[in-house]
Amino acid sequence: MTASFELVVTTGGDFEFRLLSRTGKVLAVSERYKDKNSAVAGIRDAQESAAMAFINDRTTRPPSTPAPPSGLQQTQQGPSRWFG
């Protein structure tokens, strides 16, 4: 199974969509839309935008680097350059 978008009607009668992982876990929830056509347009925009998206890391610390497996030496010196 692949990831999917789920279009739902809220208790207030608005529409929203959810991005679901392959296992059905909710990854993201959209804003609310007054009509179904607008919600579907939002899904199409999300599909297009996600394909071109990049990670904008606004954390204050770099991601931690896992320790090398036992018996191997770490050769990289200095901070991680994952987002740099």
Side-chain angles (χ1 to χ4, degrees), residues 20-71:
L20 304 178
S21 72
R22 292 178 302 215
T23 60
K25 180 179 177 183
V26 176
L27 300 175
V29 178
S30 74
E31 63 184 310
R32 293 187 176 188
Y33 298 88
K34 293 294 179 190
D35 60 82
K36 186 175 180 177
N37 288 338
S38 296
V40 170
I43 290 172
R44 295 200 196 299
D45 186 44
Q47 287 174 316
E48 184 178 318
S49 297
M52 302 296 291
F54 64 94
I55 297 172
N56 186 1
D57 185 0
R58 295 181 180 261
T59 60
T60 57
R61 294 186 289 174
S64 61
T65 305
S70 179

